[in-house]
Amino acid sequence: MKKHFTFLFLLFVAISFAQIQKVEPAFWWHGMKNPDLQILVYGKDISKYQVELSDNIKVKDLTKTENPNYVFITINTDEVQKPSFKINFKNGKKTVDSYTYELKNRKPGSAERNSFSSKDVMYLIMPDRFANGDPSNDSQPNLTEKVNRSLPSGRHGGDLRGIINNLDYLQNLGVTALWLTPANEDNEKNTSYHGYAQTDLYKIDGRYGTNEEYVELSRKLQQRGMMLVQDYVTNHWGISHWLIQDLPTKDWIHQFKDGEGKFGFKRSNYRTTSQFDTNVSEIDKQEALNGWFDTTMPDLNQSNPLVLKYLTQNAIWWIEYAELGGLRVDTYPYNDKVAMTKWAKAITDEYPKFNIVGEAWMYNPAHISYWQKDSKIGAIDGYNSNLPSVMDFTLFTDLPNALKEEESWDKGMIKIYNSFGNDFLYPDISNILVFFENHDTERFNEIFKGDVRYYKMAISLIATVRGIPQIYYGSEIGMRGDKNKGGDADIRRDFPGGWKGDSQNAFNPKTQTLEQKEFHDYTQKLLNWRKGKEVVHTGKTKHYMPKEKVYVYFRYNDNDKVMVIINNNEKDQTFNLDRFAESLNGVSKGKDVISGKEFSISPQNKITVSGKSSLILELQK
């Protein structure tokens, strides 16, 4: 009886005094440009205790909310001279719990790190669908959804180790930056593989691996002259996120009085033009920005200073911890735009060379350019996003249509020409992401039924126009998938050879099919050529109005010149070069970067280009 009583007493003491359950961020660094650090401490009724820091460190600000389980402690890290200090929670003179907080030393040169630019080629990977390098982590006891590769929308087991194991393949292909869809924990009940309903922003999903493996991937990329780009989500979290399940404040997320369920769910109307529409009604604007992206994705309220600080520090923590080379931000126009201006500025103030590309999925170039830093369009209403880069959804939309439509006044190849005619809208035209597909869109090779000729024309274009080319995993081997029939899962198929027992391995050029090899070899040659071509990275563009389904443009600087010809005819096309005289001044020959074939190039000559093909010529005197 006495033993039983003693056990119950000790259990009561443990429950009463083991207050701290979470501290975020768990550690930080000395020497940040902004020395202010906000530390979230979570535990049952934690706010009823007094906070005292060791070593006479001052609490700059202490915020308690309507939820007694939270305390937000702000300190000035410049005032902390030691590598660690204690956060003590006291009941009178008695310390009931404490946490040892570490301030690490930054890696030399961290603040001046380089980031992705027009010199790079970005390769987009869905980790769950690329390669399974460690089958032992496929399912986790503490994570709800288990691996089921037979279920198209289920977890398939791809992981960080699978990516690490295939870095030779990626480097040889010619890509220099890896964009992974979110790898943080997504512990939703189903369809969690995409990662956009995150449930822990400081932890890599256990089915992908560990935080340490994420850092390992980043460092191994750096050793190869490559970099890791994190997919960051500021607009929403997963409904199972621990902070959502026990909200620090009611307005941490957007809740509607006439909404559904526990949190007042109402779906967004997705009309993000409301961000700058001078005629917009307030109700439409609020439903666009505050409405949820989906039923399991509560919409975050970035205008709440605690939320904004949490998101800002979390992004900086990953940049510093994982030595990131950039961020891609999901659903950018759905956020509070004033708050996001502060978010982007805080990051780029800390890392002046750091690049962040925002997904502004709009089709009008004026609407897209609004979101780029120093935009002339944004300046009309006094807005500056501080967001360095945006995605060229106009080109994404126009490119497949241009290649499949019959020519007319406003259809066919003229769409590409007109797309580039809007370049004046962008304050930094070299710093926009150009692509023809991603993880949310129809597979390009599906649109053209696996016809490699169309792929070659498309990859030739995005690899040689202004901006940062981005390709989607598997395109380079001809992967297909029908979104209209199979949904998102069908455009996110497993990369062949990424799983033990796969019938065929496309990672090894020796075991690629003839069809895969044609896609792959063309991509590899083109992207590796592009690496050393400054004229393509930063040169000017001069293009010529398409005639008879042929589009011609030049990339040039003071030292170099490249001519690109895209022939969308079924038949070979022969034409005079005199029309391009202003761009061919002083040129006598051109060398095809793919075949090595040389052409006599001058305004007096003709050239023949094969049907449904591209010709990329390095021009010489």
Side-chain angles (χ1 to χ4, degrees):
M1 184 67 180
K2 185 177 181 181
K3 289 183 179 180
H4 182 65
F5 175 79
T6 303
F7 171 76
L8 290 176
F9 175 77
L10 291 174
L11 181 61
F12 171 77
V13 170
I15 293 172
S16 299
F17 298 120
Q19 300 294 331
I20 298 173
Q21 295 178 37
K22 280 186 177 288
V23 176
E24 292 185 342
F27 56 84
W28 200 247
W29 293 267
H30 285 290
M32 305 299 283
K33 183 174 182 180
N34 180 1
D36 285 355
L37 170 64
Q38 178 180 279
I39 304 169
L40 179 160
V41 184
Y42 176 74
K44 179 66 175 173
D45 293 327
I46 197 86
S47 67
K48 73 181 183 181
Y49 299 105
Q50 297 85 46
V51 176
E52 182 182 273
L53 307 183
S54 67
D55 303 294
N56 296 315
I57 297 168
K58 296 178 182 177
V59 174
K60 184 174 182 179
D61 181 76
L62 183 67
T63 300
K64 298 180 180 181
T65 67
E66 69 257 31
N67 186 334
N69 298 334
Y70 290 90
V71 173
F72 296 84
I73 307 164
T74 300
I75 65 168
N76 182 335
T77 55
D78 284 351
E79 296 177 357
V80 182
Q81 304 303 317
K82 295 186 175 182
S84 66
F85 62 93
K86 286 188 178 295
I87 304 173
N88 297 316
F89 286 85
K90 307 190 77 171
N91 186 2
K93 294 183 178 180
K94 187 171 185 178
T95 299
V96 297
D97 205 355
S98 66
Y99 181 88
T100 301
Y101 203 92
E102 184 182 2
L103 288 176
K104 300 175 181 288
N105 293 319
R106 302 181 74 182
K107 186 177 179 180
S110 176
E112 297 299 321
R113 72 184 61 228
N114 289 317
S115 193
F116 67 89
S117 69
S118 56
K119 295 181 180 181
D120 292 294
V121 173
M122 191 178 294
Y123 188 88
L124 166 58
I125 291 175
M126 296 205 82
D128 184 67
R129 304 301 167 90
F130 192 63
N132 187 350
D134 183 6
S136 70
N137 65 21
D138 285 358
S139 296
Q140 299 282 309
N142 61 324
L143 298 174
T144 305
E145 190 172 16
K146 310 304 180 185
V147 164
N148 183 357
R149 200 177 173 202
S150 65
L151 184 66
S153 61
R155 287 270 179 176
H156 289 191
D159 50 32
L160 297 177
R161 186 57 55 189
I163 298 171
I164 292 170
N165 291 347
N166 288 290
L167 290 184
D168 282 347
Y169 169 82
L170 296 169
Q171 183 178 15
N172 291 337
L173 185 64
V175 300
T176 57
L178 290 192
W179 157 22
L180 309 187
T181 51
N184 286 343
E185 181 187 279
D186 185 333
N187 196 21
E188 297 302 330
K189 294 178 182 178
N190 50 54
T191 322
S192 66
Y193 73 92
H194 57 66
Y196 287 97
Q198 296 170 85
T199 53
D200 191 328
L201 265 68
Y202 282 96
K203 185 179 181 182
I204 294 298
D205 193 291
R207 291 158 293 198
Y208 292 149
T210 64
N211 284 18
E212 290 76 18
E213 284 178 297
Y214 191 71
V215 174
E216 179 187 350
L217 170 61
S218 180
R219 288 176 175 169
K220 286 187 172 178
L221 285 167
Q222 292 173 54
Q223 291 167 7
R224 296 165 180 263
M226 303 165 73
M227 66 187 72
L228 182 60
V229 176
Q230 185 177 80
D231 199 329
Y232 201 87
V233 189
T234 52
N235 181 65
H236 51 265
W237 291 345
I239 202 165
S240 299
H241 194 294
W242 69 272
L243 272 159
I244 302 296
Q245 290 300 305
D246 191 17
L247 288 168
T249 64
K250 186 177 180 181
D251 69 347
W252 193 272
I253 61 173
H254 291 120
Q255 305 187 48
F256 291 84
K257 291 181 180 179
D258 59 342
E260 303 172 12
K262 176 183 176 182
F263 297 116
F265 161 77
K266 182 181 284 188
R267 189 180 295 276
S268 173
N269 61 28
Y270 307 109
R271 302 298 182 183
T272 53
T273 52
S274 59
Q275 287 272 30
F276 40 71
D277 181 0
T278 56
N279 306 307
V280 71
S281 64
E282 190 61 27
I283 188 171
D284 289 340
K285 182 177 181 179
Q286 292 304 313
E287 288 186 359
L289 304 183
N290 298 349
W292 294 21
F293 215 73
D294 205 348
T295 55
T296 59
M297 297 178 179
D299 195 77
L300 293 169
N301 178 16
Q302 300 87 20
S303 65
N304 180 325
L306 294 174
V307 176
L308 182 61
K309 189 70 171 178
Y310 185 97
L311 293 170
T312 303
Q313 288 188 166
N314 178 255
I316 291 172
W317 188 89
W318 278 111
I319 294 167
E320 194 74 21
Y321 171 72
E323 303 171 12
L324 297 178
L327 296 177
R328 177 265 184 186
V329 184
D330 188 61
T331 55
Y332 206 87
Y334 291 87
N335 296 278
D336 181 290
K337 69 179 186 181
V338 175
M340 289 304 292
T341 291
K342 299 174 183 176
W343 181 86
K345 188 175 188 302
I347 294 170
T348 52
D349 279 353
E350 203 66 64
Y351 307 95
K353 298 177 184 178
F354 199 76
N355 207 355
I356 309 170
V357 58
E359 179 199 34
W361 195 331
M362 301 168 133
Y363 300 103
N364 186 313
H367 295 168
I368 300 170
S369 67
Y370 178 90
W371 297 102
Q372 191 176 31
K373 181 182 178 182
D374 299 330
S375 168
K376 303 167 191 174
I377 304 299
I380 293 172
D381 66 2
Y383 180 68
N384 191 340
S385 70
N386 290 314
L387 177 70
S389 178
V390 290
M391 300 169 70
D392 192 349
F393 277 97
T394 307
L395 180 61
F396 153 75
T397 304
D398 288 340
L399 180 53
N401 290 329
L403 295 177
K404 66 184 179 183
E405 289 176 347
E406 286 300 318
E407 296 289 310
S408 68
W409 172 254
D410 60 350
K411 293 184 178 180
M413 298 295 280
I414 192 66
K415 284 191 169 178
I416 301 176
Y417 178 86
N418 287 341
S419 181
F420 294 125
N422 291 302
D423 280 5
F424 73 97
L425 292 167
Y426 295 93
D428 188 355
I429 194 60
S430 291
N431 197 22
I432 63 174
L433 202 70
V434 291
F435 61 104
F436 50 78
E437 64 178 352
N438 64 30
H439 62 296
D440 288 323
T441 71
E442 191 67 271
R443 279 278 189 179
F444 188 88
N445 291 324
E446 184 69 35
I447 296 172
F448 293 100
K449 304 187 185 307
D451 191 332
V452 70
R453 299 176 303 167
Y454 288 94
Y455 171 81
K456 288 179 178 179
M457 286 190 285
I459 193 74
S460 294
L461 185 133
I462 69 161
T464 56
V465 296
R466 80 296 184 268
I468 308 156
Q470 172 253 300
I471 61 176
Y472 182 41
Y473 82 97
S475 289
E476 78 281 4
I477 56 166
M479 278 180 66
R480 296 172 62 174
D482 193 335
K483 184 172 182 175
N484 293 319
K485 291 182 180 179
D488 285 340
D490 208 45
I491 60 172
R492 302 166 179 174
R493 296 178 184 176
D494 298 344
F495 195 103
W499 280 254
K500 187 177 180 180
D502 280 2
S503 59
Q504 190 257 330
N505 181 11
F507 284 114
N508 186 347
K510 294 180 180 179
T511 54
Q512 290 173 346
T513 67
L514 291 177
E515 180 184 20
Q516 289 170 344
K517 191 169 181 58
E518 185 172 5
F519 278 90
H520 176 270
D521 288 358
Y522 189 90
T523 307
Q524 184 182 52
K525 195 155 196 175
L526 178 60
L527 299 188
N528 279 289
W529 166 81
R530 187 189 187 278
K531 284 182 179 179
K533 296 305 292 183
E534 183 66 29
V535 66
V536 175
H537 305 160
T538 59
K540 296 179 180 179
T541 300
K542 189 181 291 291
H543 66 163
Y544 293 79
M545 193 173 298
K547 287 193 175 183
E548 298 179 346
K549 298 185 178 182
V550 177
Y551 178 47
V552 177
Y553 58 92
F554 293 78
R555 301 298 310 282
Y556 65 99
N557 57 25
D558 291 340
N559 303 311
D560 206 356
K561 191 175 290 187
V562 172
M563 180 181 188
V564 182
I565 306 169
I566 301 177
N567 176 20
N568 197 32
N569 292 280
E570 282 290 346
K571 297 181 179 180
D572 296 356
Q573 196 77 357
T574 300
F575 52 92
N576 294 320
L577 295 175
D578 56 351
R579 181 165 169 253
F580 314 110
E582 63 187 286
S583 296
L584 295 177
N585 183 35
V587 173
S588 64
K589 60 183 178 180
K591 184 178 180 180
D592 178 13
V593 304
I594 301 297
S595 68
K597 181 180 178 181
E598 292 194 350
F599 295 80
S600 179
I601 302 292
S602 74
Q604 295 76 38
N605 291 342
K606 294 183 178 182
I607 194 168
T608 299
V609 182
S610 301
K612 297 291 182 185
S613 77
S614 302
L615 193 60
I616 305 170
L617 300 173
E618 291 184 298
L619 301 181
Q620 303 170 32
K621 293 181 180 180

